[in-house]
């Protein structure tokens, strides 16, 4: 995932009484993360501001967040490869995040960019195939590419995994999956295809669905499709919706997963004030936090999870 500009509506401050404060949603993280005051949800859908009190949090140290290894332990091994997954496992991390796209012949592969240039040698192997879009290559062609030497010589020959190969590896490693459907508008039907692969590999049984799988996307429509097709699956929306819109998102997603630079403690409180489609409090997993100081600040916002390229650094700062 890459950072996107977040837009969060502004609302006026008013007193609830006896030391409680209304939530002030805002577009950038201006809060130091030490604000533990109460908030109120703002609903401007009908042109009115409806204030609903959110219970004041007790002043206490934040609970250690869940740490997600972003594209595997991608600070230490080439991103979205089996090597990165294995490195996360050796570091002791259960949750890994990945990105899923579709080849020209309909195979789901794990890669972040919509083109092959940055993380493979596609320009060298296929010099006349510019712009080297993932969707323009077959799975067999992508399997020929070196997806590791750009990161370091020791990873020369590392391949772009298919989603099936990736699921096999994290299953072997006893890891859990935060799966991102990448650029869904480029791949009509990818939601159903992703669910089909997950089902065939045993990832949609009750144990996996309950504890080991989250599907997320920047595309709200994509997440709605996943929820409609498999309402039991936990879903996450990547981004920072306006506070006034959070209730609508809560109808189809269990998580709001924003860029760290776009949130405050009050925004997190507004998300937590709502319940998702499974009747549980909406969660917040923020990204991409790679240094200790920022990890501490993110934890003070009371986020539920931190997505990071350097999971050991975040664990050391927050655990």
């Amino acid at each position: 995932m890459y950072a996107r500009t977040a837009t969060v509506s502004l609302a006026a401050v008013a007193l609830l009484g006896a030391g409680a404060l209304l939530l002030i949603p805002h577009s950038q993280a201006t809060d130091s993360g030490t604000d533990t005051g109460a908030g109120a949800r703002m609903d401007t859908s009908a042109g009115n501001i409806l204030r609903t009190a959110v219970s004041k949090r007790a002043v206490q140290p934040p609970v250690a967040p869940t740490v997600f290894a972003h594209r595997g332990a991608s600070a230490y091994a080439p991103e979205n490869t089996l090597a990165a997954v294995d490195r996360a496992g050796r570091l002791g991390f259960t949750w890994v995040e990945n990105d899923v796209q579709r080849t020209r012949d309909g195979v789901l592969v794990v890669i972040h960019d919509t083109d092959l240039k940055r993380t493979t040698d596609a320009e060298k192997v296929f010099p006349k195939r510019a712009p080297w879009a993932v969707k323009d290559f077959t799975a067999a062609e992508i399997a020929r590419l070196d997806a590791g030497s750009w990161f370091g010589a020791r990873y020369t020959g590392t391949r772009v995994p298919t989603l099936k190969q990736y699921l096999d590896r994290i299953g072997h490693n006893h890891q859990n999956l935060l799966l991102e459907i990448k650029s869904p508008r480029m791949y009509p039907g990818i939601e159903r295809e992703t669910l089909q692969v997950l089902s065939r590999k045993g990832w949609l049984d009750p144990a996996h669905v309950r504890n080991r799988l989250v599907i997320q996307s920047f595309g709200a429509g994509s997440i709605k499709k996943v929820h409609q097709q498999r309402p039991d699956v936990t879903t996450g929306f990547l981004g920072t919706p306006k506070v006034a819109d959070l209730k609508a998102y809560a109808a189809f997603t269990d998580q709001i997963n924003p860029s760290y630079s776009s949130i405050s403690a009050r925004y997190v409180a507004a998300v937590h004030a709502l319940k998702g489609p499974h009747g549980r409090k909406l969660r917040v997993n923020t990204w991409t936090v790679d240094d200790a100081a920022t990890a501490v600040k993110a934890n003070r916002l009371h986020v539920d999870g931190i997505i990071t390229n350097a999971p050991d650094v975040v664990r050391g700062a927050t655990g």
Side-chain angles (χ1 to χ4, degrees), residues 172-199:
H172 177 268
N173 293 350
H174 304 289
Q175 291 167 305
N176 307 327
L177 179 59
L178 176 60
L179 182 155
E180 179 182 345
I181 296 176
K182 197 72 186 176
S183 303
R185 291 185 180 181
M186 294 179 61
Y187 306 108
I190 193 172
E191 296 84 10
R192 183 174 299 280
E193 293 166 357
T194 299
L195 290 169
Q196 288 173 344
V197 172
L198 288 167
S199 179

PDB file of all heavy atoms in Angstrom, residues 172-199:
ATOM      1  N   HIS A 172       2.202 -23.455   5.957  1.00  0.00           N
ATOM      2  CA  HIS A 172       3.311 -24.242   6.505  1.00  0.00           C
ATOM      3  C   HIS A 172       3.951 -23.532   7.690  1.00  0.00           C
ATOM      4  O   HIS A 172       4.365 -24.165   8.666  1.00  0.00           O
ATOM      5  CB  HIS A 172       4.352 -24.491   5.413  1.00  0.00           C
ATOM      6  CG  HIS A 172       5.566 -25.224   5.885  1.00  0.00           C
ATOM      7  ND1 HIS A 172       6.702 -24.576   6.350  1.00  0.00           N
ATOM      8  CD2 HIS A 172       5.831 -26.559   5.975  1.00  0.00           C
ATOM      9  CE1 HIS A 172       7.601 -25.477   6.696  1.00  0.00           C
ATOM     10  NE2 HIS A 172       7.099 -26.682   6.483  1.00  0.00           N
ATOM     11  N   ASN A 173       4.021 -22.183   7.606  1.00  0.00           N
ATOM     12  CA  ASN A 173       4.645 -21.385   8.668  1.00  0.00           C
ATOM     13  C   ASN A 173       3.693 -21.076   9.826  1.00  0.00           C
ATOM     14  O   ASN A 173       4.092 -20.397  10.774  1.00  0.00           O
ATOM     15  CB  ASN A 173       5.164 -20.065   8.093  1.00  0.00           C
ATOM     16  CG  ASN A 173       6.320 -20.244   7.131  1.00  0.00           C
ATOM     17  OD1 ASN A 173       6.883 -21.331   7.012  1.00  0.00           O
ATOM     18  ND2 ASN A 173       6.681 -19.176   6.435  1.00  0.00           N
ATOM     19  N   HIS A 174       2.435 -21.507   9.707  1.00  0.00           N
ATOM     20  CA  HIS A 174       1.418 -21.215  10.722  1.00  0.00           C
ATOM     21  C   HIS A 174       1.227 -19.711  10.895  1.00  0.00           C
ATOM     22  O   HIS A 174       1.094 -19.207  12.023  1.00  0.00           O
ATOM     23  CB  HIS A 174       1.769 -21.864  12.069  1.00  0.00           C
ATOM     24  CG  HIS A 174       1.984 -23.343  11.977  1.00  0.00           C
ATOM     25  ND1 HIS A 174       0.950 -24.246  11.759  1.00  0.00           N
ATOM     26  CD2 HIS A 174       3.125 -24.078  12.032  1.00  0.00           C
ATOM     27  CE1 HIS A 174       1.444 -25.464  11.714  1.00  0.00           C
ATOM     28  NE2 HIS A 174       2.751 -25.399  11.875  1.00  0.00           N
ATOM     29  N   GLN A 175       1.205 -19.005   9.763  1.00  0.00           N
ATOM     30  CA  GLN A 175       1.007 -17.570   9.787  1.00  0.00           C
ATOM     31  C   GLN A 175      -0.411 -17.203   9.357  1.00  0.00           C
ATOM     32  O   GLN A 175      -1.135 -18.010   8.770  1.00  0.00           O
ATOM     33  CB  GLN A 175       2.039 -16.890   8.865  1.00  0.00           C
ATOM     34  CG  GLN A 175       3.460 -16.982   9.407  1.00  0.00           C
ATOM     35  CD  GLN A 175       4.509 -16.593   8.381  1.00  0.00           C
ATOM     36  OE1 GLN A 175       4.550 -17.153   7.282  1.00  0.00           O
ATOM     37  NE2 GLN A 175       5.368 -15.647   8.732  1.00  0.00           N
ATOM     38  N   ASN A 176      -0.784 -15.964   9.648  1.00  0.00           N
ATOM     39  CA  ASN A 176      -2.092 -15.427   9.300  1.00  0.00           C
ATOM     40  C   ASN A 176      -1.928 -14.398   8.189  1.00  0.00           C
ATOM     41  O   ASN A 176      -0.827 -13.892   7.959  1.00  0.00           O
ATOM     42  CB  ASN A 176      -2.742 -14.776  10.519  1.00  0.00           C
ATOM     43  CG  ASN A 176      -2.785 -15.702  11.713  1.00  0.00           C
ATOM     44  OD1 ASN A 176      -2.926 -16.915  11.563  1.00  0.00           O
ATOM     45  ND2 ASN A 176      -2.658 -15.141  12.903  1.00  0.00           N
ATOM     46  N   LEU A 177      -3.044 -14.048   7.521  1.00  0.00           N
ATOM     47  CA  LEU A 177      -2.932 -13.248   6.307  1.00  0.00           C
ATOM     48  C   LEU A 177      -3.843 -12.027   6.302  1.00  0.00           C
ATOM     49  O   LEU A 177      -5.056 -12.136   6.495  1.00  0.00           O
ATOM     50  CB  LEU A 177      -3.272 -14.114   5.087  1.00  0.00           C
ATOM     51  CG  LEU A 177      -3.226 -13.427   3.721  1.00  0.00           C
ATOM     52  CD1 LEU A 177      -1.832 -12.844   3.440  1.00  0.00           C
ATOM     53  CD2 LEU A 177      -3.619 -14.407   2.622  1.00  0.00           C
ATOM     54  N   LEU A 178      -3.225 -10.874   6.071  1.00  0.00           N
ATOM     55  CA  LEU A 178      -3.927  -9.633   5.750  1.00  0.00           C
ATOM     56  C   LEU A 178      -3.729  -9.426   4.254  1.00  0.00           C
ATOM     57  O   LEU A 178      -2.671  -8.984   3.803  1.00  0.00           O
ATOM     58  CB  LEU A 178      -3.349  -8.469   6.551  1.00  0.00           C
ATOM     59  CG  LEU A 178      -3.889  -7.073   6.276  1.00  0.00           C
ATOM     60  CD1 LEU A 178      -5.387  -6.987   6.547  1.00  0.00           C
ATOM     61  CD2 LEU A 178      -3.133  -6.036   7.098  1.00  0.00           C
ATOM     62  N   LEU A 179      -4.739  -9.789   3.469  1.00  0.00           N
ATOM     63  CA  LEU A 179      -4.636  -9.833   2.013  1.00  0.00           C
ATOM     64  C   LEU A 179      -5.227  -8.571   1.393  1.00  0.00           C
ATOM     65  O   LEU A 179      -6.400  -8.256   1.633  1.00  0.00           O
ATOM     66  CB  LEU A 179      -5.337 -11.081   1.477  1.00  0.00           C
ATOM     67  CG  LEU A 179      -5.316 -11.347  -0.025  1.00  0.00           C
ATOM     68  CD1 LEU A 179      -5.477 -12.850  -0.287  1.00  0.00           C
ATOM     69  CD2 LEU A 179      -6.416 -10.599  -0.780  1.00  0.00           C
ATOM     70  N   GLU A 180      -4.439  -7.867   0.596  1.00  0.00           N
ATOM     71  CA  GLU A 180      -4.950  -6.687  -0.105  1.00  0.00           C
ATOM     72  C   GLU A 180      -5.268  -7.017  -1.560  1.00  0.00           C
ATOM     73  O   GLU A 180      -4.398  -7.499  -2.298  1.00  0.00           O
ATOM     74  CB  GLU A 180      -3.947  -5.531  -0.067  1.00  0.00           C
ATOM     75  CG  GLU A 180      -4.471  -4.302  -0.810  1.00  0.00           C
ATOM     76  CD  GLU A 180      -3.506  -3.140  -0.858  1.00  0.00           C
ATOM     77  OE1 GLU A 180      -2.528  -3.135  -0.099  1.00  0.00           O
ATOM     78  OE2 GLU A 180      -3.735  -2.213  -1.679  1.00  0.00           O
ATOM     79  N   ILE A 181      -6.494  -6.739  -1.960  1.00  0.00           N
ATOM     80  CA  ILE A 181      -6.855  -6.813  -3.376  1.00  0.00           C
ATOM     81  C   ILE A 181      -6.386  -5.508  -4.015  1.00  0.00           C
ATOM     82  O   ILE A 181      -6.896  -4.433  -3.726  1.00  0.00           O
ATOM     83  CB  ILE A 181      -8.368  -7.000  -3.554  1.00  0.00           C
ATOM     84  CG1 ILE A 181      -8.790  -8.352  -2.953  1.00  0.00           C
ATOM     85  CG2 ILE A 181      -8.749  -6.924  -5.027  1.00  0.00           C
ATOM     86  CD1 ILE A 181     -10.275  -8.599  -2.986  1.00  0.00           C
ATOM     87  N   LYS A 182      -5.392  -5.623  -4.884  1.00  0.00           N
ATOM     88  CA  LYS A 182      -4.717  -4.448  -5.436  1.00  0.00           C
ATOM     89  C   LYS A 182      -5.406  -3.971  -6.704  1.00  0.00           C
ATOM     90  O   LYS A 182      -5.709  -4.770  -7.596  1.00  0.00           O
ATOM     91  CB  LYS A 182      -3.255  -4.798  -5.745  1.00  0.00           C
ATOM     92  CG  LYS A 182      -2.362  -3.599  -5.922  1.00  0.00           C
ATOM     93  CD  LYS A 182      -2.127  -2.946  -4.582  1.00  0.00           C
ATOM     94  CE  LYS A 182      -1.348  -1.648  -4.729  1.00  0.00           C
ATOM     95  NZ  LYS A 182      -1.216  -0.967  -3.438  1.00  0.00           N
ATOM     96  N   SER A 183      -5.642  -2.655  -6.783  1.00  0.00           N
ATOM     97  CA  SER A 183      -6.199  -2.035  -7.989  1.00  0.00           C
ATOM     98  C   SER A 183      -7.370  -2.835  -8.562  1.00  0.00           C
ATOM     99  O   SER A 183      -7.329  -3.263  -9.725  1.00  0.00           O
ATOM    100  CB  SER A 183      -5.098  -1.877  -9.048  1.00  0.00           C
ATOM    101  OG  SER A 183      -4.018  -1.121  -8.552  1.00  0.00           O
ATOM    102  N   PRO A 184      -8.425  -3.039  -7.794  1.00  0.00           N
ATOM    103  CA  PRO A 184      -9.509  -3.933  -8.239  1.00  0.00           C
ATOM    104  C   PRO A 184     -10.202  -3.487  -9.522  1.00  0.00           C
ATOM    105  O   PRO A 184     -10.743  -4.334 -10.242  1.00  0.00           O
ATOM    106  CB  PRO A 184     -10.477  -3.929  -7.047  1.00  0.00           C
ATOM    107  CG  PRO A 184     -10.156  -2.702  -6.270  1.00  0.00           C
ATOM    108  CD  PRO A 184      -8.689  -2.488  -6.451  1.00  0.00           C
ATOM    109  N   ARG A 185     -10.191  -2.211  -9.833  1.00  0.00           N
ATOM    110  CA  ARG A 185     -10.839  -1.756 -11.063  1.00  0.00           C
ATOM    111  C   ARG A 185     -10.129  -2.282 -12.310  1.00  0.00           C
ATOM    112  O   ARG A 185     -10.732  -2.385 -13.382  1.00  0.00           O
ATOM    113  CB  ARG A 185     -10.891  -0.229 -11.105  1.00  0.00           C
ATOM    114  CG  ARG A 185     -11.843   0.380 -10.081  1.00  0.00           C
ATOM    115  CD  ARG A 185     -11.955   1.878 -10.238  1.00  0.00           C
ATOM    116  NE  ARG A 185     -12.874   2.460  -9.264  1.00  0.00           N
ATOM    117  CZ  ARG A 185     -13.161   3.758  -9.196  1.00  0.00           C
ATOM    118  NH1 ARG A 185     -12.589   4.613 -10.048  1.00  0.00           N
ATOM    119  NH2 ARG A 185     -14.004   4.203  -8.289  1.00  0.00           N
ATOM    120  N   MET A 186      -8.861  -2.626 -12.171  1.00  0.00           N
ATOM    121  CA  MET A 186      -8.118  -3.181 -13.300  1.00  0.00           C
ATOM    122  C   MET A 186      -8.452  -4.645 -13.532  1.00  0.00           C
ATOM    123  O   MET A 186      -8.161  -5.187 -14.604  1.00  0.00           O
ATOM    124  CB  MET A 186      -6.606  -3.044 -13.050  1.00  0.00           C
ATOM    125  CG  MET A 186      -6.102  -1.615 -13.025  1.00  0.00           C
ATOM    126  SD  MET A 186      -4.316  -1.546 -12.696  1.00  0.00           S
ATOM    127  CE  MET A 186      -3.682  -2.455 -14.117  1.00  0.00           C
ATOM    128  N   TYR A 187      -9.050  -5.275 -12.524  1.00  0.00           N
ATOM    129  CA  TYR A 187      -9.245  -6.720 -12.575  1.00  0.00           C
ATOM    130  C   TYR A 187     -10.693  -7.076 -12.213  1.00  0.00           C
ATOM    131  O   TYR A 187     -10.965  -7.588 -11.113  1.00  0.00           O
ATOM    132  CB  TYR A 187      -8.291  -7.403 -11.597  1.00  0.00           C
ATOM    133  CG  TYR A 187      -6.842  -7.044 -11.778  1.00  0.00           C
ATOM    134  CD1 TYR A 187      -6.176  -6.228 -10.849  1.00  0.00           C
ATOM    135  CD2 TYR A 187      -6.129  -7.519 -12.869  1.00  0.00           C
ATOM    136  CE1 TYR A 187      -4.843  -5.907 -11.013  1.00  0.00           C
ATOM    137  CE2 TYR A 187      -4.786  -7.199 -13.041  1.00  0.00           C
ATOM    138  CZ  TYR A 187      -4.153  -6.388 -12.109  1.00  0.00           C
ATOM    139  OH  TYR A 187      -2.821  -6.062 -12.271  1.00  0.00           O
ATOM    140  N   PRO A 188     -11.637  -6.833 -13.095  1.00  0.00           N
ATOM    141  CA  PRO A 188     -13.039  -7.168 -12.788  1.00  0.00           C
ATOM    142  C   PRO A 188     -13.190  -8.627 -12.388  1.00  0.00           C
ATOM    143  O   PRO A 188     -12.624  -9.522 -13.022  1.00  0.00           O
ATOM    144  CB  PRO A 188     -13.761  -6.876 -14.113  1.00  0.00           C
ATOM    145  CG  PRO A 188     -12.893  -5.878 -14.816  1.00  0.00           C
ATOM    146  CD  PRO A 188     -11.487  -6.246 -14.452  1.00  0.00           C
ATOM    147  N   GLY A 189     -13.912  -8.855 -11.313  1.00  0.00           N
ATOM    148  CA  GLY A 189     -14.140 -10.216 -10.843  1.00  0.00           C
ATOM    149  C   GLY A 189     -13.064 -10.772  -9.936  1.00  0.00           C
ATOM    150  O   GLY A 189     -13.157 -11.930  -9.499  1.00  0.00           O
ATOM    151  N   ILE A 190     -12.051  -9.967  -9.604  1.00  0.00           N
ATOM    152  CA  ILE A 190     -10.934 -10.492  -8.809  1.00  0.00           C
ATOM    153  C   ILE A 190     -11.375 -10.867  -7.400  1.00  0.00           C
ATOM    154  O   ILE A 190     -10.779 -11.753  -6.774  1.00  0.00           O
ATOM    155  CB  ILE A 190      -9.759  -9.497  -8.773  1.00  0.00           C
ATOM    156  CG1 ILE A 190      -8.510 -10.196  -8.214  1.00  0.00           C
ATOM    157  CG2 ILE A 190     -10.115  -8.232  -8.005  1.00  0.00           C
ATOM    158  CD1 ILE A 190      -7.246  -9.372  -8.303  1.00  0.00           C
ATOM    159  N   GLU A 191     -12.418 -10.245  -6.893  1.00  0.00           N
ATOM    160  CA  GLU A 191     -12.892 -10.596  -5.547  1.00  0.00           C
ATOM    161  C   GLU A 191     -13.357 -12.056  -5.499  1.00  0.00           C
ATOM    162  O   GLU A 191     -12.953 -12.813  -4.607  1.00  0.00           O
ATOM    163  CB  GLU A 191     -14.036  -9.659  -5.133  1.00  0.00           C
ATOM    164  CG  GLU A 191     -13.633  -8.201  -5.012  1.00  0.00           C
ATOM    165  CD  GLU A 191     -13.659  -7.466  -6.340  1.00  0.00           C
ATOM    166  OE1 GLU A 191     -14.177  -8.035  -7.339  1.00  0.00           O
ATOM    167  OE2 GLU A 191     -13.156  -6.324  -6.389  1.00  0.00           O
ATOM    168  N   ARG A 192     -14.206 -12.427  -6.459  1.00  0.00           N
ATOM    169  CA  ARG A 192     -14.696 -13.806  -6.495  1.00  0.00           C
ATOM    170  C   ARG A 192     -13.539 -14.787  -6.729  1.00  0.00           C
ATOM    171  O   ARG A 192     -13.486 -15.859  -6.093  1.00  0.00           O
ATOM    172  CB  ARG A 192     -15.747 -13.960  -7.598  1.00  0.00           C
ATOM    173  CG  ARG A 192     -16.369 -15.347  -7.660  1.00  0.00           C
ATOM    174  CD  ARG A 192     -17.506 -15.412  -8.674  1.00  0.00           C
ATOM    175  NE  ARG A 192     -18.575 -14.494  -8.318  1.00  0.00           N
ATOM    176  CZ  ARG A 192     -19.501 -14.742  -7.401  1.00  0.00           C
ATOM    177  NH1 ARG A 192     -19.487 -15.904  -6.756  1.00  0.00           N
ATOM    178  NH2 ARG A 192     -20.439 -13.864  -7.141  1.00  0.00           N
ATOM    179  N   GLU A 193     -12.616 -14.431  -7.603  1.00  0.00           N
ATOM    180  CA  GLU A 193     -11.494 -15.313  -7.897  1.00  0.00           C
ATOM    181  C   GLU A 193     -10.588 -15.488  -6.676  1.00  0.00           C
ATOM    182  O   GLU A 193     -10.094 -16.590  -6.406  1.00  0.00           O
ATOM    183  CB  GLU A 193     -10.707 -14.762  -9.076  1.00  0.00           C
ATOM    184  CG  GLU A 193     -11.492 -14.795 -10.382  1.00  0.00           C
ATOM    185  CD  GLU A 193     -10.854 -13.943 -11.460  1.00  0.00           C
ATOM    186  OE1 GLU A 193      -9.838 -13.274 -11.175  1.00  0.00           O
ATOM    187  OE2 GLU A 193     -11.372 -13.939 -12.591  1.00  0.00           O
ATOM    188  N   THR A 194     -10.384 -14.409  -5.940  1.00  0.00           N
ATOM    189  CA  THR A 194      -9.577 -14.487  -4.724  1.00  0.00           C
ATOM    190  C   THR A 194     -10.240 -15.404  -3.700  1.00  0.00           C
ATOM    191  O   THR A 194      -9.584 -16.262  -3.091  1.00  0.00           O
ATOM    192  CB  THR A 194      -9.372 -13.082  -4.133  1.00  0.00           C
ATOM    193  OG1 THR A 194      -8.682 -12.259  -5.078  1.00  0.00           O
ATOM    194  CG2 THR A 194      -8.570 -13.142  -2.840  1.00  0.00           C
ATOM    195  N   LEU A 195     -11.529 -15.247  -3.527  1.00  0.00           N
ATOM    196  CA  LEU A 195     -12.260 -16.106  -2.593  1.00  0.00           C
ATOM    197  C   LEU A 195     -12.223 -17.566  -3.038  1.00  0.00           C
ATOM    198  O   LEU A 195     -12.129 -18.476  -2.202  1.00  0.00           O
ATOM    199  CB  LEU A 195     -13.699 -15.614  -2.451  1.00  0.00           C
ATOM    200  CG  LEU A 195     -13.878 -14.287  -1.714  1.00  0.00           C
ATOM    201  CD1 LEU A 195     -15.307 -13.773  -1.862  1.00  0.00           C
ATOM    202  CD2 LEU A 195     -13.516 -14.432  -0.234  1.00  0.00           C
ATOM    203  N   GLN A 196     -12.271 -17.799  -4.346  1.00  0.00           N
ATOM    204  CA  GLN A 196     -12.212 -19.169  -4.846  1.00  0.00           C
ATOM    205  C   GLN A 196     -10.874 -19.820  -4.519  1.00  0.00           C
ATOM    206  O   GLN A 196     -10.821 -20.979  -4.083  1.00  0.00           O
ATOM    207  CB  GLN A 196     -12.463 -19.183  -6.353  1.00  0.00           C
ATOM    208  CG  GLN A 196     -13.907 -18.908  -6.737  1.00  0.00           C
ATOM    209  CD  GLN A 196     -14.103 -18.752  -8.239  1.00  0.00           C
ATOM    210  OE1 GLN A 196     -13.134 -18.553  -8.995  1.00  0.00           O
ATOM    211  NE2 GLN A 196     -15.348 -18.862  -8.693  1.00  0.00           N
ATOM    212  N   VAL A 197      -9.779 -19.076  -4.725  1.00  0.00           N
ATOM    213  CA  VAL A 197      -8.461 -19.628  -4.404  1.00  0.00           C
ATOM    214  C   VAL A 197      -8.348 -19.874  -2.903  1.00  0.00           C
ATOM    215  O   VAL A 197      -7.857 -20.926  -2.463  1.00  0.00           O
ATOM    216  CB  VAL A 197      -7.347 -18.686  -4.891  1.00  0.00           C
ATOM    217  CG1 VAL A 197      -5.982 -19.162  -4.385  1.00  0.00           C
ATOM    218  CG2 VAL A 197      -7.335 -18.611  -6.407  1.00  0.00           C
ATOM    219  N   LEU A 198      -8.791 -18.924  -2.109  1.00  0.00           N
ATOM    220  CA  LEU A 198      -8.752 -19.096  -0.658  1.00  0.00           C
ATOM    221  C   LEU A 198      -9.547 -20.339  -0.239  1.00  0.00           C
ATOM    222  O   LEU A 198      -9.104 -21.110   0.614  1.00  0.00           O
ATOM    223  CB  LEU A 198      -9.316 -17.855   0.034  1.00  0.00           C
ATOM    224  CG  LEU A 198      -8.433 -16.603  -0.004  1.00  0.00           C
ATOM    225  CD1 LEU A 198      -9.239 -15.376   0.423  1.00  0.00           C
ATOM    226  CD2 LEU A 198      -7.212 -16.767   0.895  1.00  0.00           C
ATOM    227  N   SER A 199     -10.696 -20.532  -0.855  1.00  0.00           N
ATOM    228  CA  SER A 199     -11.527 -21.683  -0.518  1.00  0.00           C
ATOM    229  C   SER A 199     -10.839 -22.996  -0.879  1.00  0.00           C
ATOM    230  O   SER A 199     -10.806 -23.947  -0.087  1.00  0.00           O
ATOM    231  CB  SER A 199     -12.876 -21.577  -1.232  1.00  0.00           C
ATOM    232  OG  SER A 199     -13.700 -22.673  -0.943  1.00  0.00           O
TER     233      SER A 199
END
